[in-house]
Every structure is written in C-alpha cells, then in structure tokens.
Amino acid sequence: FYLTPPQVNSILKANEYSFKVPEFDGKNVSSVLGFDSNQLPANAPIEDRRSAATCLQTRGMLLGVFDGHAGCACAQAVSERLFYYIAVSLLPHETLLEIENAVESGRALLPILQWHKHPNDYFSKEASKLYFNSLRTYWQELIDLNSGETTDVKEALINAFKRLDNDISLEAQVGDPNSFLNYLVLRVAFSGATACVAHVDGVDLHIANTGDSRAMLGVQEEDGSWSAVNLSYDHNAQNEHEVERVKMEHPKSEEKSLVKQDRLLGLLMPFRAFGDVKFKWSIELQKRVVESGPDQLNDNEYTKFIPPNYHTPPYLTAEPEVIHHKLRPQDKFLVLATDGLWETMHRQDVARIVGEYLTGVHHQQPIAVGGYKVTLGQMHGLLTERRARISSVFEDQNAATHLIRHAVGNNEFGTVDHERLSKMLSLPEELARMYRDDITIIVVQFNSHVIGACQNDE
C-alpha cells in the first residue's frame, strides 16, 4: 500500500503543534523561545499524552510527555492534572490563601496555568469537578502546613507527583455515585503511565522523571557540531541502581522474583509509574474494589489477575527522580520524548538532526556505508539523494515532526527513505504496534541571548 509524499506529510503533521513565546517591545524576556510538539500513534487509540503550560502565578514553563500502558486512561488523567499539582506546590502561601478565599466566597479564581494545547489534546469535562476537589484538598493542606519557607522547585516536583498518584489511588478506593465517573476513576487507577516533565525558569531547568520516557539536552560545541546530554535516567531493568533500589525495599526472600525477564514481577517494564494499583495495593484491597466496582471492570482481564509472587506491596512508586541543570548559552534545545523515539534513535543522532534542523546548517558528514559493499551506481544514488534531501530538509515547519520523520523513515545509511516511511505509516493498526511504539516528542528551543544575559547578571 503505497503512500504519496503528500499523504505521508498529512499523516505526520496531523498532531503537530507549535508555540512561540511572545516578545515584549521586541524583547523576549523568557529563556524559552518556543517549542514544537507532535505525536504519531501506533496504538489505537494512542496511549501517549503531552502537556505544555505557562505558570501564571509563578515564573516558569511546564512541559511533559506521558506514556500510558494498559490503556490511555491514566496517561490522560496525569496529562490534565499533574501541572496543576506542580503549580500549586510552587505557589507562595499568600497566593494559596487568595485562591482558597475566592473559592469560599464564590469569586472568580486566579488562573494558575495558561495551557498550550493542540485541538486533539482532550480534557475530560465529566471529571473536572472531582479533580478540582482533590486539588483543593491538597492546597488546603499546604495552607495548614505553611512553614513560611519558599518552596524548593525540586521538592515541589516530588511532592506534586506523589500527591497526584496518591489522589488517583484514593479516588478509586472511594468510588463515585455517578457510575460513569466511578468507572473512569477505576480505569485511571488500574492503568498506568510514566511521566517526564521539564520546569524551565530563567537559567534553571529541572527535569522530573518517573519511568522510561527521556529528557535530552542539545548542546552546540565551539566547532558548530552537536552533542547530547542526558537529563534523565530510565527506571527499568537496564538501570542497575533502579534494580538495587527495588531489591532494597523488599525482603531478601523475594530477590529472585522481583525482576524477571527484565520486568517488575515479570510483568511491568517501567519500575516507576502513576496508577498501576495492581502493583501498589494489598490483595485484599484489590479484591474489594474490583468486586464492588462496575461490571465492566470485571470484564477487564487486567484487573482480575494478581501479579505472581505478590507478598510485600507496594512494588511500584510514582516518585520522580529530579535533575537540576543551569542553562548555558551553548544549550540550544531540550527534547522530551516517550520511549517510542529512543527505541529507534540514538541520542547523538537526535541531537544532530534537531540541531541541524534548528540552525538550518547541514554539516556534510562523509557518507558512511559501514561495511556495506557499495557499487559506484549506489554511491551516486546516495549522493543524489543527499542533494535532494538538503533541498527538502526544511519541508517540515516543526522540529518534532522532522524528528519523527527520521525515527520512522531512516534507512541503514541514516537517511530518510520515502519507501520505508510509506510502508511504516500504511501498516494496519494491529500490525503497527509490532513494528514501533507510540511516539510523542516536545522540542523546546532556548534563547541563548537571554541565558547569556542572565549568566552575566549572576
């Protein structure tokens, strides 16, 4: 089934979104110039989500990618709710009081976030009241706990992640008289999601990561070449520290059953996630909730089984690992992406492709054919294709789209092969998932002038 280049483009561009930070009097006062984001589904419906928002009552911008498993319900809820929890965690005491007083007296609320959303980025209207009430309980507790100290960003991020996960769990245990909402909160809690979130404020970049999505910084070296700096670590079996952490939290007798076939209890790839109460609740609690839950829940195979060797829950946490980085003028962009990208591309290639795209300079690497026997005719073909590629490299108006094009269409020579791209994008739903995962990418472009000026001020 062959797709023409315009058909390929319309599939690739369907979910793209760009935001430019507005300038004031011709001056941009933010360290962020703007961002591009995009998603390419493999699952139907897609299980990834993305979010971006400007914090209105504090400084800073929030961006995040969320990778769902066992359905999209948890990723959806986290993408809608987490930034509110982070924003509330960062607010000064006076502002929290102002917001609470406004709710008490029925006045209009101070807006906390300005969302930057694609029309396809859905918000569940039905649950908004429930979500608001949980959030309000959280800020009331923060008001009561007022220590008078200014909140540390790292601490705020950790608290927000843990608190939202706790609320997801509580809402499912309490249930809801409305049967639709009751089923929704249970679906959210029994499915799961990883999260990788960036908070950018001036030269301070914080990455909070739970699971196996990744954050990577694109750095331009003095000679103009590009290098990649990891700003997160995957929480899975490939991370020795993570395996050790899990083993430390459970008795020695469980050492052999904790991680099997590179999965938690032989089942779950990420070692940290939101939701997934199958790995957090006691067996009694799971049974009670499933038995009293709606019939649709009983039809779901996932909720019925108890993980094997399940003795000392919780086995899973949503607590993020937070990395702080002070931005430098050579730090040109940040890539946040779900594991669908990193499974297909090395971070060094990601840095080069995005860097060249953003600067519009195509560093001519000598053509590498790594051990292949190449005829003169094939070499001529590669060079002709390279020339064509330079002229078409900027057909994408969006850096995330450009990256997805490479992730799905690259051949063994590291160039986009239209035929391969066409094949990969025309796979039927049930096959697509066998060849690749959902891919969600946000590329944040930094303003080197502002970062340089901030550094000089300091």
Side-chain angles (χ1 to χ4, degrees), residues 101-124:
N101 292 336
V103 178
E104 282 271 302
S105 56
R107 290 198 315 276
L109 279 190
L110 285 173
I112 301 178
L113 295 172
Q114 178 196 351
W115 290 93
H116 311 299
K117 297 187 87 62
H118 185 279
N120 296 357
D121 295 342
Y122 159 83
F123 251 58
S124 48

mmCIF file with all atom_site columns, all heavy atoms in Angstrom, residues 101-124:
data_model
loop_
_atom_site.group_PDB
_atom_site.id
_atom_site.type_symbol
_atom_site.label_atom_id
_atom_site.label_alt_id
_atom_site.label_comp_id
_atom_site.label_asym_id
_atom_site.label_entity_id
_atom_site.label_seq_id
_atom_site.pdbx_PDB_ins_code
_atom_site.Cartn_x
_atom_site.Cartn_y
_atom_site.Cartn_z
_atom_site.occupancy
_atom_site.B_iso_or_equiv
_atom_site.pdbx_formal_charge
_atom_site.auth_seq_id
_atom_site.auth_comp_id
_atom_site.auth_asym_id
_atom_site.auth_atom_id
_atom_site.pdbx_PDB_model_num
ATOM 1   N N   . ASN A 1 101 ? -9.750  31.669 49.424 1.00 0.00 ? 101 ASN A N   1
ATOM 2   C CA  . ASN A 1 101 ? -10.787 32.653 49.775 1.00 0.00 ? 101 ASN A CA  1
ATOM 3   C C   . ASN A 1 101 ? -11.735 32.885 48.604 1.00 0.00 ? 101 ASN A C   1
ATOM 4   O O   . ASN A 1 101 ? -12.943 33.061 48.790 1.00 0.00 ? 101 ASN A O   1
ATOM 5   C CB  . ASN A 1 101 ? -10.164 33.987 50.218 1.00 0.00 ? 101 ASN A CB  1
ATOM 6   C CG  . ASN A 1 101 ? -9.441  33.829 51.547 1.00 0.00 ? 101 ASN A CG  1
ATOM 7   O OD1 . ASN A 1 101 ? -9.769  32.921 52.312 1.00 0.00 ? 101 ASN A OD1 1
ATOM 8   N ND2 . ASN A 1 101 ? -8.452  34.672 51.815 1.00 0.00 ? 101 ASN A ND2 1
ATOM 9   N N   . ALA A 1 102 ? -11.184 32.910 47.391 1.00 0.00 ? 102 ALA A N   1
ATOM 10  C CA  . ALA A 1 102 ? -12.024 33.102 46.204 1.00 0.00 ? 102 ALA A CA  1
ATOM 11  C C   . ALA A 1 102 ? -13.025 31.951 46.066 1.00 0.00 ? 102 ALA A C   1
ATOM 12  O O   . ALA A 1 102 ? -14.201 32.160 45.779 1.00 0.00 ? 102 ALA A O   1
ATOM 13  C CB  . ALA A 1 102 ? -11.157 33.211 44.958 1.00 0.00 ? 102 ALA A CB  1
ATOM 14  N N   . VAL A 1 103 ? -12.551 30.703 46.284 1.00 0.00 ? 103 VAL A N   1
ATOM 15  C CA  . VAL A 1 103 ? -13.452 29.545 46.177 1.00 0.00 ? 103 VAL A CA  1
ATOM 16  C C   . VAL A 1 103 ? -14.530 29.635 47.253 1.00 0.00 ? 103 VAL A C   1
ATOM 17  O O   . VAL A 1 103 ? -15.726 29.447 46.992 1.00 0.00 ? 103 VAL A O   1
ATOM 18  C CB  . VAL A 1 103 ? -12.681 28.208 46.323 1.00 0.00 ? 103 VAL A CB  1
ATOM 19  C CG1 . VAL A 1 103 ? -13.633 27.031 46.260 1.00 0.00 ? 103 VAL A CG1 1
ATOM 20  C CG2 . VAL A 1 103 ? -11.631 28.080 45.234 1.00 0.00 ? 103 VAL A CG2 1
ATOM 21  N N   . GLU A 1 104 ? -14.105 29.964 48.485 1.00 0.00 ? 104 GLU A N   1
ATOM 22  C CA  . GLU A 1 104 ? -15.034 30.082 49.619 1.00 0.00 ? 104 GLU A CA  1
ATOM 23  C C   . GLU A 1 104 ? -16.168 31.049 49.303 1.00 0.00 ? 104 GLU A C   1
ATOM 24  O O   . GLU A 1 104 ? -17.327 30.777 49.571 1.00 0.00 ? 104 GLU A O   1
ATOM 25  C CB  . GLU A 1 104 ? -14.270 30.633 50.840 1.00 0.00 ? 104 GLU A CB  1
ATOM 26  C CG  . GLU A 1 104 ? -13.424 29.612 51.552 1.00 0.00 ? 104 GLU A CG  1
ATOM 27  C CD  . GLU A 1 104 ? -14.208 28.879 52.629 1.00 0.00 ? 104 GLU A CD  1
ATOM 28  O OE1 . GLU A 1 104 ? -14.724 29.555 53.527 1.00 0.00 ? 104 GLU A OE1 1
ATOM 29  O OE2 . GLU A 1 104 ? -14.297 27.638 52.532 1.00 0.00 ? 104 GLU A OE2 1
ATOM 30  N N   . SER A 1 105 ? -15.787 32.216 48.740 1.00 0.00 ? 105 SER A N   1
ATOM 31  C CA  . SER A 1 105 ? -16.797 33.265 48.562 1.00 0.00 ? 105 SER A CA  1
ATOM 32  C C   . SER A 1 105 ? -17.405 33.249 47.153 1.00 0.00 ? 105 SER A C   1
ATOM 33  O O   . SER A 1 105 ? -18.103 34.178 46.776 1.00 0.00 ? 105 SER A O   1
ATOM 34  C CB  . SER A 1 105 ? -16.168 34.627 48.859 1.00 0.00 ? 105 SER A CB  1
ATOM 35  O OG  . SER A 1 105 ? -15.046 34.800 48.028 1.00 0.00 ? 105 SER A OG  1
ATOM 36  N N   . GLY A 1 106 ? -17.072 32.189 46.382 1.00 0.00 ? 106 GLY A N   1
ATOM 37  C CA  . GLY A 1 106 ? -17.677 32.058 45.050 1.00 0.00 ? 106 GLY A CA  1
ATOM 38  C C   . GLY A 1 106 ? -17.192 33.089 44.037 1.00 0.00 ? 106 GLY A C   1
ATOM 39  O O   . GLY A 1 106 ? -17.868 33.352 43.049 1.00 0.00 ? 106 GLY A O   1
ATOM 40  N N   . ARG A 1 107 ? -16.013 33.704 44.305 1.00 0.00 ? 107 ARG A N   1
ATOM 41  C CA  . ARG A 1 107 ? -15.478 34.667 43.344 1.00 0.00 ? 107 ARG A CA  1
ATOM 42  C C   . ARG A 1 107 ? -14.686 33.944 42.253 1.00 0.00 ? 107 ARG A C   1
ATOM 43  O O   . ARG A 1 107 ? -14.329 32.780 42.401 1.00 0.00 ? 107 ARG A O   1
ATOM 44  C CB  . ARG A 1 107 ? -14.541 35.670 44.044 1.00 0.00 ? 107 ARG A CB  1
ATOM 45  C CG  . ARG A 1 107 ? -15.232 36.642 44.970 1.00 0.00 ? 107 ARG A CG  1
ATOM 46  C CD  . ARG A 1 107 ? -14.344 37.847 45.274 1.00 0.00 ? 107 ARG A CD  1
ATOM 47  N NE  . ARG A 1 107 ? -12.961 37.492 45.591 1.00 0.00 ? 107 ARG A NE  1
ATOM 48  C CZ  . ARG A 1 107 ? -12.552 37.132 46.817 1.00 0.00 ? 107 ARG A CZ  1
ATOM 49  N NH1 . ARG A 1 107 ? -13.419 37.057 47.805 1.00 0.00 ? 107 ARG A NH1 1
ATOM 50  N NH2 . ARG A 1 107 ? -11.275 36.828 47.025 1.00 0.00 ? 107 ARG A NH2 1
ATOM 51  N N   . ALA A 1 108 ? -14.400 34.684 41.191 1.00 0.00 ? 108 ALA A N   1
ATOM 52  C CA  . ALA A 1 108 ? -13.609 34.086 40.101 1.00 0.00 ? 108 ALA A CA  1
ATOM 53  C C   . ALA A 1 108 ? -12.206 33.772 40.608 1.00 0.00 ? 108 ALA A C   1
ATOM 54  O O   . ALA A 1 108 ? -11.631 34.542 41.381 1.00 0.00 ? 108 ALA A O   1
ATOM 55  C CB  . ALA A 1 108 ? -13.536 35.056 38.930 1.00 0.00 ? 108 ALA A CB  1
ATOM 56  N N   . LEU A 1 109 ? -11.688 32.638 40.167 1.00 0.00 ? 109 LEU A N   1
ATOM 57  C CA  . LEU A 1 109 ? -10.362 32.194 40.615 1.00 0.00 ? 109 LEU A CA  1
ATOM 58  C C   . LEU A 1 109 ? -9.253  32.850 39.811 1.00 0.00 ? 109 LEU A C   1
ATOM 59  O O   . LEU A 1 109 ? -9.411  33.093 38.619 1.00 0.00 ? 109 LEU A O   1
ATOM 60  C CB  . LEU A 1 109 ? -10.229 30.685 40.399 1.00 0.00 ? 109 LEU A CB  1
ATOM 61  C CG  . LEU A 1 109 ? -10.846 29.777 41.444 1.00 0.00 ? 109 LEU A CG  1
ATOM 62  C CD1 . LEU A 1 109 ? -10.410 28.353 41.189 1.00 0.00 ? 109 LEU A CD1 1
ATOM 63  C CD2 . LEU A 1 109 ? -10.408 30.202 42.834 1.00 0.00 ? 109 LEU A CD2 1
ATOM 64  N N   . LEU A 1 110 ? -8.130  33.075 40.472 1.00 0.00 ? 110 LEU A N   1
ATOM 65  C CA  . LEU A 1 110 ? -6.925  33.481 39.727 1.00 0.00 ? 110 LEU A CA  1
ATOM 66  C C   . LEU A 1 110 ? -6.568  32.335 38.799 1.00 0.00 ? 110 LEU A C   1
ATOM 67  O O   . LEU A 1 110 ? -6.472  31.194 39.252 1.00 0.00 ? 110 LEU A O   1
ATOM 68  C CB  . LEU A 1 110 ? -5.751  33.642 40.705 1.00 0.00 ? 110 LEU A CB  1
ATOM 69  C CG  . LEU A 1 110 ? -5.674  34.847 41.605 1.00 0.00 ? 110 LEU A CG  1
ATOM 70  C CD1 . LEU A 1 110 ? -4.505  34.658 42.577 1.00 0.00 ? 110 LEU A CD1 1
ATOM 71  C CD2 . LEU A 1 110 ? -5.438  36.104 40.788 1.00 0.00 ? 110 LEU A CD2 1
ATOM 72  N N   . PRO A 1 111 ? -6.352  32.593 37.503 1.00 0.00 ? 111 PRO A N   1
ATOM 73  C CA  . PRO A 1 111 ? -5.896  31.475 36.668 1.00 0.00 ? 111 PRO A CA  1
ATOM 74  C C   . PRO A 1 111 ? -4.477  31.080 37.072 1.00 0.00 ? 111 PRO A C   1
ATOM 75  O O   . PRO A 1 111 ? -3.637  31.941 37.335 1.00 0.00 ? 111 PRO A O   1
ATOM 76  C CB  . PRO A 1 111 ? -5.935  32.039 35.247 1.00 0.00 ? 111 PRO A CB  1
ATOM 77  C CG  . PRO A 1 111 ? -5.935  33.519 35.407 1.00 0.00 ? 111 PRO A CG  1
ATOM 78  C CD  . PRO A 1 111 ? -6.481  33.841 36.765 1.00 0.00 ? 111 PRO A CD  1
ATOM 79  N N   . ILE A 1 112 ? -4.245  29.772 37.156 1.00 0.00 ? 112 ILE A N   1
ATOM 80  C CA  . ILE A 1 112 ? -2.933  29.284 37.611 1.00 0.00 ? 112 ILE A CA  1
ATOM 81  C C   . ILE A 1 112 ? -2.050  28.947 36.416 1.00 0.00 ? 112 ILE A C   1
ATOM 82  O O   . ILE A 1 112 ? -0.853  29.166 36.434 1.00 0.00 ? 112 ILE A O   1
ATOM 83  C CB  . ILE A 1 112 ? -3.102  28.036 38.506 1.00 0.00 ? 112 ILE A CB  1
ATOM 84  C CG1 . ILE A 1 112 ? -3.970  28.362 39.731 1.00 0.00 ? 112 ILE A CG1 1
ATOM 85  C CG2 . ILE A 1 112 ? -1.755  27.500 38.966 1.00 0.00 ? 112 ILE A CG2 1
ATOM 86  C CD1 . ILE A 1 112 ? -4.212  27.169 40.638 1.00 0.00 ? 112 ILE A CD1 1
ATOM 87  N N   . LEU A 1 113 ? -2.674  28.382 35.376 1.00 0.00 ? 113 LEU A N   1
ATOM 88  C CA  . LEU A 1 113 ? -1.916  27.928 34.205 1.00 0.00 ? 113 LEU A CA  1
ATOM 89  C C   . LEU A 1 113 ? -2.514  28.481 32.925 1.00 0.00 ? 113 LEU A C   1
ATOM 90  O O   . LEU A 1 113 ? -3.734  28.603 32.810 1.00 0.00 ? 113 LEU A O   1
ATOM 91  C CB  . LEU A 1 113 ? -1.957  26.396 34.101 1.00 0.00 ? 113 LEU A CB  1
ATOM 92  C CG  . LEU A 1 113 ? -1.297  25.579 35.201 1.00 0.00 ? 113 LEU A CG  1
ATOM 93  C CD1 . LEU A 1 113 ? -1.617  24.094 35.017 1.00 0.00 ? 113 LEU A CD1 1
ATOM 94  C CD2 . LEU A 1 113 ? 0.213   25.777 35.202 1.00 0.00 ? 113 LEU A CD2 1
ATOM 95  N N   . GLN A 1 114 ? -1.646  28.798 31.987 1.00 0.00 ? 114 GLN A N   1
ATOM 96  C CA  . GLN A 1 114 ? -2.110  29.062 30.623 1.00 0.00 ? 114 GLN A CA  1
ATOM 97  C C   . GLN A 1 114 ? -1.671  27.857 29.795 1.00 0.00 ? 114 GLN A C   1
ATOM 98  O O   . GLN A 1 114 ? -0.477  27.614 29.612 1.00 0.00 ? 114 GLN A O   1
ATOM 99  C CB  . GLN A 1 114 ? -1.457  30.337 30.071 1.00 0.00 ? 114 GLN A CB  1
ATOM 100 C CG  . GLN A 1 114 ? -1.864  30.624 28.632 1.00 0.00 ? 114 GLN A CG  1
ATOM 101 C CD  . GLN A 1 114 ? -0.940  31.636 27.968 1.00 0.00 ? 114 GLN A CD  1
ATOM 102 O OE1 . GLN A 1 114 ? -0.093  32.246 28.608 1.00 0.00 ? 114 GLN A OE1 1
ATOM 103 N NE2 . GLN A 1 114 ? -1.095  31.805 26.672 1.00 0.00 ? 114 GLN A NE2 1
ATOM 104 N N   . TRP A 1 115 ? -2.650  27.076 29.325 1.00 0.00 ? 115 TRP A N   1
ATOM 105 C CA  . TRP A 1 115 ? -2.337  25.852 28.591 1.00 0.00 ? 115 TRP A CA  1
ATOM 106 C C   . TRP A 1 115 ? -2.000  26.164 27.138 1.00 0.00 ? 115 TRP A C   1
ATOM 107 O O   . TRP A 1 115 ? -2.555  27.083 26.554 1.00 0.00 ? 115 TRP A O   1
ATOM 108 C CB  . TRP A 1 115 ? -3.529  24.892 28.623 1.00 0.00 ? 115 TRP A CB  1
ATOM 109 C CG  . TRP A 1 115 ? -3.772  24.294 29.972 1.00 0.00 ? 115 TRP A CG  1
ATOM 110 C CD1 . TRP A 1 115 ? -4.605  24.769 30.937 1.00 0.00 ? 115 TRP A CD1 1
ATOM 111 C CD2 . TRP A 1 115 ? -3.164  23.112 30.515 1.00 0.00 ? 115 TRP A CD2 1
ATOM 112 N NE1 . TRP A 1 115 ? -4.553  23.967 32.049 1.00 0.00 ? 115 TRP A NE1 1
ATOM 113 C CE2 . TRP A 1 115 ? -3.681  22.941 31.815 1.00 0.00 ? 115 TRP A CE2 1
ATOM 114 C CE3 . TRP A 1 115 ? -2.232  22.196 30.028 1.00 0.00 ? 115 TRP A CE3 1
ATOM 115 C CZ2 . TRP A 1 115 ? -3.301  21.880 32.639 1.00 0.00 ? 115 TRP A CZ2 1
ATOM 116 C CZ3 . TRP A 1 115 ? -1.850  21.141 30.847 1.00 0.00 ? 115 TRP A CZ3 1
ATOM 117 C CH2 . TRP A 1 115 ? -2.377  20.984 32.138 1.00 0.00 ? 115 TRP A CH2 1
ATOM 118 N N   . HIS A 1 116 ? -1.095  25.370 26.573 1.00 0.00 ? 116 HIS A N   1
ATOM 119 C CA  . HIS A 1 116 ? -0.793  25.462 25.136 1.00 0.00 ? 116 HIS A CA  1
ATOM 120 C C   . HIS A 1 116 ? -1.176  24.109 24.545 1.00 0.00 ? 116 HIS A C   1
ATOM 121 O O   . HIS A 1 116 ? -0.413  23.156 24.639 1.00 0.00 ? 116 HIS A O   1
ATOM 122 C CB  . HIS A 1 116 ? 0.694   25.757 24.914 1.00 0.00 ? 116 HIS A CB  1
ATOM 123 C CG  . HIS A 1 116 ? 1.190   26.911 25.750 1.00 0.00 ? 116 HIS A CG  1
ATOM 124 N ND1 . HIS A 1 116 ? 0.682   28.182 25.620 1.00 0.00 ? 116 HIS A ND1 1
ATOM 125 C CD2 . HIS A 1 116 ? 2.120   26.975 26.738 1.00 0.00 ? 116 HIS A CD2 1
ATOM 126 C CE1 . HIS A 1 116 ? 1.287   28.986 26.496 1.00 0.00 ? 116 HIS A CE1 1
ATOM 127 N NE2 . HIS A 1 116 ? 2.158   28.272 27.193 1.00 0.00 ? 116 HIS A NE2 1
ATOM 128 N N   . LYS A 1 117 ? -2.392  24.036 23.979 1.00 0.00 ? 117 LYS A N   1
ATOM 129 C CA  . LYS A 1 117 ? -2.926  22.727 23.608 1.00 0.00 ? 117 LYS A CA  1
ATOM 130 C C   . LYS A 1 117 ? -3.244  22.610 22.121 1.00 0.00 ? 117 LYS A C   1
ATOM 131 O O   . LYS A 1 117 ? -3.675  23.571 21.494 1.00 0.00 ? 117 LYS A O   1
ATOM 132 C CB  . LYS A 1 117 ? -4.220  22.446 24.390 1.00 0.00 ? 117 LYS A CB  1
ATOM 133 C CG  . LYS A 1 117 ? -4.011  22.366 25.884 1.00 0.00 ? 117 LYS A CG  1
ATOM 134 C CD  . LYS A 1 117 ? -5.258  21.925 26.608 1.00 0.00 ? 117 LYS A CD  1
ATOM 135 C CE  . LYS A 1 117 ? -5.373  20.431 26.696 1.00 0.00 ? 117 LYS A CE  1
ATOM 136 N NZ  . LYS A 1 117 ? -4.294  19.782 27.453 1.00 0.00 ? 117 LYS A NZ  1
ATOM 137 N N   . HIS A 1 118 ? -3.040  21.415 21.613 1.00 0.00 ? 118 HIS A N   1
ATOM 138 C CA  . HIS A 1 118 ? -3.492  21.061 20.263 1.00 0.00 ? 118 HIS A CA  1
ATOM 139 C C   . HIS A 1 118 ? -4.988  20.722 20.366 1.00 0.00 ? 118 HIS A C   1
ATOM 140 O O   . HIS A 1 118 ? -5.434  20.191 21.381 1.00 0.00 ? 118 HIS A O   1
ATOM 141 C CB  . HIS A 1 118 ? -2.705  19.827 19.799 1.00 0.00 ? 118 HIS A CB  1
ATOM 142 C CG  . HIS A 1 118 ? -2.985  19.436 18.382 1.00 0.00 ? 118 HIS A CG  1
ATOM 143 N ND1 . HIS A 1 118 ? -4.100  18.698 18.025 1.00 0.00 ? 118 HIS A ND1 1
ATOM 144 C CD2 . HIS A 1 118 ? -2.304  19.656 17.236 1.00 0.00 ? 118 HIS A CD2 1
ATOM 145 C CE1 . HIS A 1 118 ? -4.087  18.498 16.717 1.00 0.00 ? 118 HIS A CE1 1
ATOM 146 N NE2 . HIS A 1 118 ? -3.010  19.066 16.211 1.00 0.00 ? 118 HIS A NE2 1
ATOM 147 N N   . PRO A 1 119 ? -5.778  21.022 19.322 1.00 0.00 ? 119 PRO A N   1
ATOM 148 C CA  . PRO A 1 119 ? -7.223  20.703 19.396 1.00 0.00 ? 119 PRO A CA  1
ATOM 149 C C   . PRO A 1 119 ? -7.496  19.226 19.725 1.00 0.00 ? 119 PRO A C   1
ATOM 150 O O   . PRO A 1 119 ? -8.528  18.902 20.310 1.00 0.00 ? 119 PRO A O   1
ATOM 151 C CB  . PRO A 1 119 ? -7.743  21.036 17.989 1.00 0.00 ? 119 PRO A CB  1
ATOM 152 C CG  . PRO A 1 119 ? -6.711  21.897 17.359 1.00 0.00 ? 119 PRO A CG  1
ATOM 153 C CD  . PRO A 1 119 ? -5.414  21.717 18.082 1.00 0.00 ? 119 PRO A CD  1
ATOM 154 N N   . ASN A 1 120 ? -6.578  18.320 19.375 1.00 0.00 ? 120 ASN A N   1
ATOM 155 C CA  . ASN A 1 120 ? -6.794  16.890 19.689 1.00 0.00 ? 120 ASN A CA  1
ATOM 156 C C   . ASN A 1 120 ? -6.478  16.557 21.141 1.00 0.00 ? 120 ASN A C   1
ATOM 157 O O   . ASN A 1 120 ? -6.755  15.447 21.581 1.00 0.00 ? 120 ASN A O   1
ATOM 158 C CB  . ASN A 1 120 ? -5.892  15.980 18.825 1.00 0.00 ? 120 ASN A CB  1
ATOM 159 C CG  . ASN A 1 120 ? -6.213  16.087 17.357 1.00 0.00 ? 120 ASN A CG  1
ATOM 160 O OD1 . ASN A 1 120 ? -7.129  16.793 16.967 1.00 0.00 ? 120 ASN A OD1 1
ATOM 161 N ND2 . ASN A 1 120 ? -5.450  15.393 16.525 1.00 0.00 ? 120 ASN A ND2 1
ATOM 162 N N   . ASP A 1 121 ? -5.834  17.477 21.871 1.00 0.00 ? 121 ASP A N   1
ATOM 163 C CA  . ASP A 1 121 ? -5.488  17.194 23.267 1.00 0.00 ? 121 ASP A CA  1
ATOM 164 C C   . ASP A 1 121 ? -6.742  17.371 24.110 1.00 0.00 ? 121 ASP A C   1
ATOM 165 O O   . ASP A 1 121 ? -7.167  18.483 24.392 1.00 0.00 ? 121 ASP A O   1
ATOM 166 C CB  . ASP A 1 121 ? -4.379  18.139 23.769 1.00 0.00 ? 121 ASP A CB  1
ATOM 167 C CG  . ASP A 1 121 ? -3.067  17.924 23.036 1.00 0.00 ? 121 ASP A CG  1
ATOM 168 O OD1 . ASP A 1 121 ? -2.919  16.854 22.418 1.00 0.00 ? 121 ASP A OD1 1
ATOM 169 O OD2 . ASP A 1 121 ? -2.198  18.810 23.079 1.00 0.00 ? 121 ASP A OD2 1
ATOM 170 N N   . TYR A 1 122 ? -7.297  16.232 24.531 1.00 0.00 ? 122 TYR A N   1
ATOM 171 C CA  . TYR A 1 122 ? -8.631  16.195 25.106 1.00 0.00 ? 122 TYR A CA  1
ATOM 172 C C   . TYR A 1 122 ? -8.580  16.482 26.608 1.00 0.00 ? 122 TYR A C   1
ATOM 173 O O   . TYR A 1 122 ? -7.605  16.160 27.266 1.00 0.00 ? 122 TYR A O   1
ATOM 174 C CB  . TYR A 1 122 ? -9.175  14.802 24.772 1.00 0.00 ? 122 TYR A CB  1
ATOM 175 C CG  . TYR A 1 122 ? -10.284 14.287 25.614 1.00 0.00 ? 122 TYR A CG  1
ATOM 176 C CD1 . TYR A 1 122 ? -11.608 14.651 25.345 1.00 0.00 ? 122 TYR A CD1 1
ATOM 177 C CD2 . TYR A 1 122 ? -10.032 13.392 26.658 1.00 0.00 ? 122 TYR A CD2 1
ATOM 178 C CE1 . TYR A 1 122 ? -12.633 14.147 26.109 1.00 0.00 ? 122 TYR A CE1 1
ATOM 179 C CE2 . TYR A 1 122 ? -11.066 12.882 27.419 1.00 0.00 ? 122 TYR A CE2 1
ATOM 180 C CZ  . TYR A 1 122 ? -12.357 13.265 27.156 1.00 0.00 ? 122 TYR A CZ  1
ATOM 181 O OH  . TYR A 1 122 ? -13.371 12.767 27.908 1.00 0.00 ? 122 TYR A OH  1
ATOM 182 N N   . PHE A 1 123 ? -9.623  17.122 27.155 1.00 0.00 ? 123 PHE A N   1
ATOM 183 C CA  . PHE A 1 123 ? -9.788  17.312 28.600 1.00 0.00 ? 123 PHE A CA  1
ATOM 184 C C   . PHE A 1 123 ? -11.097 16.657 29.010 1.00 0.00 ? 123 PHE A C   1
ATOM 185 O O   . PHE A 1 123 ? -12.115 16.918 28.391 1.00 0.00 ? 123 PHE A O   1
ATOM 186 C CB  . PHE A 1 123 ? -9.871  18.820 28.913 1.00 0.00 ? 123 PHE A CB  1
ATOM 187 C CG  . PHE A 1 123 ? -8.657  19.364 29.601 1.00 0.00 ? 123 PHE A CG  1
ATOM 188 C CD1 . PHE A 1 123 ? -7.400  19.259 29.022 1.00 0.00 ? 123 PHE A CD1 1
ATOM 189 C CD2 . PHE A 1 123 ? -8.758  19.981 30.835 1.00 0.00 ? 123 PHE A CD2 1
ATOM 190 C CE1 . PHE A 1 123 ? -6.273  19.756 29.651 1.00 0.00 ? 123 PHE A CE1 1
ATOM 191 C CE2 . PHE A 1 123 ? -7.630  20.490 31.472 1.00 0.00 ? 123 PHE A CE2 1
ATOM 192 C CZ  . PHE A 1 123 ? -6.394  20.381 30.889 1.00 0.00 ? 123 PHE A CZ  1
ATOM 193 N N   . SER A 1 124 ? -11.100 15.822 30.052 1.00 0.00 ? 124 SER A N   1
ATOM 194 C CA  . SER A 1 124 ? -12.363 15.158 30.419 1.00 0.00 ? 124 SER A CA  1
ATOM 195 C C   . SER A 1 124 ? -13.231 16.088 31.267 1.00 0.00 ? 124 SER A C   1
ATOM 196 O O   . SER A 1 124 ? -12.969 16.287 32.446 1.00 0.00 ? 124 SER A O   1
ATOM 197 C CB  . SER A 1 124 ? -12.086 13.854 31.161 1.00 0.00 ? 124 SER A CB  1
ATOM 198 O OG  . SER A 1 124 ? -11.126 14.071 32.169 1.00 0.00 ? 124 SER A OG  1
#
